Amino acid sequence: MTFSEKVKAELCSTMPIGKRCSVALCYGILLYCRTFTSSEIRLVSGNDNLAHYLPRVFRKAFGFSFDSVSEKKGPAAKRSFLITAPEKLNTILDQFGYDASRMMGHHVNFGILEEDCCKTAFIKGAFLAGGTVSAPESRYHLEFSTIHASVSRETAALLRELGSEARESTRKGSHLLYYKKSEDIEELLSLIGATSASMDFMNAKIEKTMNNSVNRQVNCDAANVKKAVNAAMHQVQAIRRLQPEELPEALRETARLRLDNPSLTITELAALHNPPTSKSCVNHRLRRLMELARLEE
């Protein structure tokens, strides 16, 4: 099951409470479905949860179900839900304020979406029919797709009224509304009732942040280790150019300890002195040894 299918399964687990919200939800489905004309309504879905949900929500909204349901077998199995009966079509068109004799293009009738709950139900229906969302582990992307430019533009206006700002684009004749920020996707999923999916997004984002932080720390540690190793190698090479017996006792001890322990850090080297000394003291002595070695070149 893809993440989109998981989201739609969650959305299909609850029915709208009232008839008006049921109508609004079906409105979103119809404006984002494959075919919605004055002579035919055809919904096509390969999602089992949505296939069981459609007859129930249409019956609640309009008092009847589909004229026929056909299924295409095979790996890409899909069900087609068809309404062609004139009386059913007229009932649906009347409900949305359309005139069947002059239905030329699709627009969102804002008059039947006055309440926020109806707007939200419409967006939920639009996502069920024309929405997809990527798994948050891979990338952040949610979109609505329709072939109707006016519907896409007016859906964007509805989303703005609900406090959600979508970007607009086109792709291969389809008009898109999309989100790229995880916070925006989380809020939208919560808005339309997919709270579990929204939590999945939050958790995935937290995990990504933690992994990135760990990776940065590991890379930083690796870089520091490499830097320290290179510094120690240069120190060993410099000390070998010196005559130990000519060095002051303190420098001679530090030089011997560095030659015997080339892989130790400055802190670890400081602890080996007798008596133990400070990191800054060892650093100072090593710098002095490096300066003396340069004078010997």
Side-chain angles (χ1 to χ4, degrees):
M1 180 182 287
T2 66
F3 190 73
S4 280
E5 290 170 338
K6 182 179 178 181
V7 172
K8 292 182 181 183
E10 183 178 359
L11 293 177
C12 290
S13 65
T14 57
M15 291 287 289
I17 295 175
K19 179 179 172 63
R20 292 179 64 183
C21 287
S22 299
V23 170
L25 190 148
C26 289
Y27 195 21
I29 291 173
L30 289 168
L31 288 181
Y32 277 81
C33 75
R34 176 167 295 186
T35 305
F36 177 31
T37 69
S38 58
S39 59
E40 178 182 287
I41 289 173
R42 183 184 298 273
L43 311 179
V44 180
S45 176
N47 186 306
D48 286 340
N49 292 285
L50 183 55
H52 288 96
Y53 187 73
L54 287 172
R56 294 168 57 211
V57 74
F58 266 70
R59 182 168 293 280
K60 184 169 184 178
F62 307 116
F64 55 77
S65 192
F66 299 93
D67 294 330
S68 65
V69 180
S70 59
E71 184 172 0
K72 178 185 176 183
K73 302 290 185 179
K78 291 185 177 181
R79 291 186 180 90
S80 293
F81 299 83
L82 188 67
I83 296 177
T84 56
E87 65 277 9
K88 292 183 179 180
L89 290 169
N90 287 333
T91 297
I92 293 173
L93 294 173
D94 287 344
Q95 185 74 63
F96 299 141
Y98 292 154
D99 183 346
S101 64
R102 294 187 299 174
M103 187 178 175
M104 301 298 293
H106 288 315
H107 288 275
V108 177
N109 183 347
F110 292 93
I112 63 174
L113 303 174
E114 293 180 348
E115 302 296 328
D116 283 351
C117 59
C118 292
K119 294 181 179 117
T120 300
F122 175 90
I123 299 300
K124 174 180 175 179
F127 183 82
L128 285 172
T132 58
V133 57
S134 299
E137 297 81 8
S138 59
R139 63 187 183 123
Y140 302 139
H141 185 86
L142 181 150
E143 70 177 36
F144 297 83
S145 175
T146 177
I147 60 172
H148 308 294
S150 55
V151 169
S152 186
R153 184 173 60 252
E154 290 155 3
T155 302
L158 277 177
L159 286 165
R160 281 193 293 274
E161 290 182 19
L162 293 169
S164 182
E165 189 73 36
R167 298 182 181 182
E168 300 182 50
S169 183
T170 58
R171 183 178 63 226
K172 296 180 180 179
S174 293
H175 299 271
L176 309 177
L177 299 176
Y178 68 95
Y179 298 86
K180 288 286 189 182
K181 293 182 179 178
S182 61
E183 296 86 353
D184 295 337
I185 297 173
E186 291 162 17
E187 290 175 3
L188 181 67
L189 291 174
S190 294
L191 175 70
I192 61 178
T195 52
S196 293
S198 179
M199 287 298 298
D200 287 343
F201 252 86
M202 294 180 192
N203 292 334
K205 182 173 63 176
I206 292 170
E207 186 174 345
K208 274 186 180 180
T209 301
M210 291 179 64
N211 288 339
N212 289 339
S213 178
V214 169
N215 289 336
R216 282 194 298 272
Q217 185 62 50
V218 168
N219 291 337
C220 181
D221 290 346
N224 288 337
V225 168
K226 184 176 180 180
K227 183 178 178 182
V229 169
N230 288 336
M233 289 174 59
H234 289 305
Q235 292 160 7
V236 169
Q237 290 169 0
I239 292 169
R240 284 174 177 166
R241 293 198 296 271
L242 299 173
Q243 300 297 324
E245 64 276 4
E246 297 179 2
L247 297 173
E249 184 178 348
L251 290 182
R252 187 163 60 246
E253 181 185 20
T254 299
R256 178 183 59 79
L257 288 172
R258 171 48 88 198
L259 288 174
D260 292 342
N261 303 278
S263 63
L264 293 188
T265 65
I266 301 298
T267 301
E268 292 168 334
L269 208 61
L272 292 180
H273 284 68
N274 186 22
T277 187
S278 66
K279 178 180 176 181
S280 62
C281 179
V282 174
N283 262 324
H284 174 74
R285 292 180 185 180
L286 288 171
R287 283 196 297 271
R288 180 59 181 156
L289 289 166
M290 297 285 286
E291 289 171 1
L292 292 172
R294 280 194 290 272
L295 293 175
E296 294 291 326
E297 292 178 351

